[in-house]
Amino acid sequence: MKRLEALVLLVTLLLVLQGKKGIAAGEDGFVKTNGAQFTLDGAPFYANGFNAYWLMYVAADPSPSERQKVSTLFQEARGHGLAIARTWAFNDGTQDRALQISPGLYSEQTFQALDLVVSEAKKNGIKLILSLVNNYEHYGGKKQYANWGRSQGQSISSDDDFFTNSVIKGFYKNHIKTVLTRRNTITGVDYKDEPAIMAWELMNEPRCTSDPSGRAIQMAAYLKSIDGNHLLEVGTDFIANNQIPEIDFATVHSYPDQWLPSSDDRSQQDFLTHWLQVHIQDSQNVLRKPVLFAEFGKSLRTAPVEQRDRLFDTVYTAIYSSARAGGAAAGGMFWQLFTEGMHNFGDGYEVVLSENGSTAGIIADQSNKLNRIRRLYLELRNRARWAGGNGIRHNGIGN
């Protein structure tokens, strides 16, 4: 039965990819897009992932035992088949371990902490999505940029002036350029040339109440003018934002326990199932771009672990059903992954793989399923190359 399922999966992938513009033969280690799919080194890339916003902050800790948690986390993630990590490449202001202390002034110590994060991800074969600023005031965010604008004599009416004020936009452009052109002190590779970085995120959960359309939040063309290697996502699920050419894929965040706090678990699950399908269909048929479910979770402060496990299973089932048919759902990234000894960072959504056995098993199973799609395609491609190299006519996988 499993062999039949694998055969059906291969046929589906071949039919889908034959209808595309063709997969690039280059194997440079950068994740790319081909229609509504990600590709890596010429093969489909469906991957399971996680959020760990705290990586740079902990990597900047003066204690070696604390910094070791960054390495430990990536090792544990790799052991469960996780292949994508999303984290912050910002910490703006004068708070503890800030990256950008004031416009254009950076802490080299904190930048070296980010260098360590990139290096450890690369060492463990995990791709990074690096977010460049926060919509919220945690770790600075657009509020800090607005305050910097005021300190420069700008007339700032609200934090949303981040998106329109030319001086503030100049601060943000400079941050983009500074991060993208940073040379890693450990690997010696500029960030813009680093294959371990999968994509940049313009902002974490951008909101512009003065422009609900979302058009004001774009800075995509400027980033792409500096870095043509990496993918780019905007950090929100506005169709208007994701349709512009410079945005390579869509992202979705989903927290039914926050959005429907008065509803029971069944109602939240029903809502989530519909939410997933709508966004997969929109990505497939309207955007024609891959979609990552870049944040999802359920707090154990308000629900038992069984409900969280059901939520993970619902998300993962929708993603795999799409992926095995060559669809737009490319993966999911739960919020959030910890290693042991980090409970002071906890928000109720954290997963510690060594302590949360049932959830860890669901995560590993999804990783294996998505990784299997890629392995099957690579196996088929290698067979085709071998057949071609030996002068054997190869018309299809049934030969």
Side-chain angles (χ1 to χ4, degrees):
M1 189 68 180
K2 287 185 177 181
R3 292 185 65 183
L4 177 60
E5 181 182 356
L7 183 62
V8 171
L9 176 58
L10 284 172
V11 171
T12 301
L13 282 171
L14 281 175
L15 291 174
V16 169
L17 294 171
Q18 283 175 357
K20 303 294 181 184
K21 59 187 177 183
I23 290 184
E27 298 186 359
D28 57 10
F30 288 99
V31 178
K32 301 174 183 177
T33 59
N34 180 41
Q37 283 79 41
F38 288 128
T39 64
L40 175 62
D41 295 337
F45 182 65
Y46 295 98
N48 207 16
F50 62 95
N51 284 271
Y53 76 91
W54 50 266
L55 285 167
M56 181 179 70
Y57 183 84
V58 171
D61 194 287
S63 168
S65 63
E66 288 298 303
R67 294 197 299 273
Q68 178 60 36
K69 290 175 180 176
V70 173
S71 303
T72 300
L73 182 96
F74 281 122
Q75 292 164 10
E76 292 175 349
R78 180 187 63 187
H80 286 73
L82 293 164
I84 308 175
R86 176 173 171 263
T87 192
W88 298 167
F90 61 81
N91 188 2
D92 307 305
T94 57
Q95 64 269 16
D96 187 29
R97 305 174 212 174
L99 176 62
Q100 185 177 198
I101 301 166
S102 61
L105 178 62
Y106 288 82
S107 164
E108 178 60 22
Q109 180 180 352
T110 304
F111 239 141
Q112 289 184 16
L114 187 57
D115 292 345
L116 176 65
V117 171
V118 174
S119 173
E120 288 299 308
K122 184 173 187 175
K123 187 185 302 182
N124 287 279
I126 292 175
K127 300 291 186 182
L128 290 172
I129 296 177
L130 296 180
S131 187
L132 293 166
V133 71
N134 205 356
N135 177 66
Y136 311 107
E137 63 183 89
H138 307 293
Y139 293 85
K142 68 181 183 184
K143 184 180 184 66
Q144 180 61 69
Y145 278 86
N147 288 336
W148 283 335
R150 291 186 182 96
S151 70
Q152 296 282 332
Q154 297 296 299
S155 177
I156 305 300
S157 60
S158 76
D159 293 347
D160 282 352
D161 286 0
F162 171 91
F163 303 108
T164 57
N165 181 276
S166 61
V167 172
I168 295 176
K169 288 170 71 175
F171 295 157
Y172 180 49
K173 283 185 175 181
N174 182 72
H175 178 63
I176 291 174
K177 184 177 181 181
T178 301
V179 173
L180 270 58
T181 58
R182 166 76 177 182
R183 176 154 294 181
N184 192 307
T185 57
I186 300 172
T187 67
V189 179
D190 290 358
Y191 282 26
K192 65 184 178 63
D193 298 322
E194 176 54 72
I197 298 172
M198 172 179 167
W200 304 105
E201 179 179 88
L202 285 174
M203 175 179 266
N204 173 50
E205 296 189 346
R207 300 289 186 273
C208 183
T209 56
S210 60
D211 178 19
S213 72
R215 287 187 293 270
I217 67 178
Q218 292 297 345
M219 195 73 74
Y222 177 74
L223 189 148
K224 285 286 192 174
S225 73
I226 300 173
D227 182 356
N229 289 322
H230 291 103
L231 302 178
L232 177 62
E233 50 106 344
V234 73
T236 184
D237 60 345
F238 286 118
I239 286 182
N241 275 291
N242 289 310
Q243 281 181 320
I244 73 168
E246 291 86 357
I247 298 300
D248 297 294
F249 63 98
T251 56
V252 179
H253 297 183
S254 187
Y255 293 99
D257 60 341
Q258 294 183 22
W259 299 348
L260 303 171
S262 300
S263 300
D264 60 17
D265 182 60
R266 177 63 181 270
S267 298
Q268 292 178 6
Q269 290 283 348
D270 290 344
F271 167 85
L272 178 61
T273 299
H274 176 71
W275 177 265
L276 292 163
Q277 293 306 319
V278 166
H279 284 81
I280 292 172
Q281 291 167 12
D282 283 347
S283 296
Q284 185 80 39
N285 302 323
V286 181
L287 299 174
R288 295 182 175 86
K289 295 178 181 181
V291 59
L292 273 180
F293 290 89
E295 284 189 28
F296 65 89
K298 190 157 194 169
S299 175
L300 295 190
R301 293 178 180 176
T302 57
V305 68
E306 292 81 10
Q307 289 188 15
R308 180 174 73 177
D309 287 351
R310 278 197 294 272
L311 181 139
F312 274 52
D313 187 64
T314 297
V315 174
Y316 286 162
T317 297
I319 291 170
Y320 182 66
S321 295
S322 172
R324 70 191 296 270
M333 308 175 71
F334 63 88
W335 184 277
Q336 59 175 321
L337 185 60
F338 282 6
T339 190
E340 293 179 3
M342 294 190 62
H343 295 295
N344 57 316
F345 286 84
D347 59 2
Y349 291 86
E350 64 273 8
V351 175
V352 181
L353 294 170
S354 60
E355 297 175 357
N356 305 127
S358 61
T359 309
I362 293 169
I363 291 167
D365 183 60
Q366 176 75 352
S367 299
N368 290 334
K369 287 179 178 178
L370 294 180
N371 291 337
R372 183 165 166 262
I373 295 174
R374 179 172 171 81
R375 288 197 304 269
L376 287 170
Y377 180 87
L378 288 171
E379 180 183 347
L380 179 68
R381 188 180 69 176
N382 291 338
R383 287 181 181 179
R385 287 178 174 175
W386 179 87
N390 287 274
I392 300 173
R393 185 178 179 183
H394 188 85
N395 294 321
I397 64 174
N399 290 346

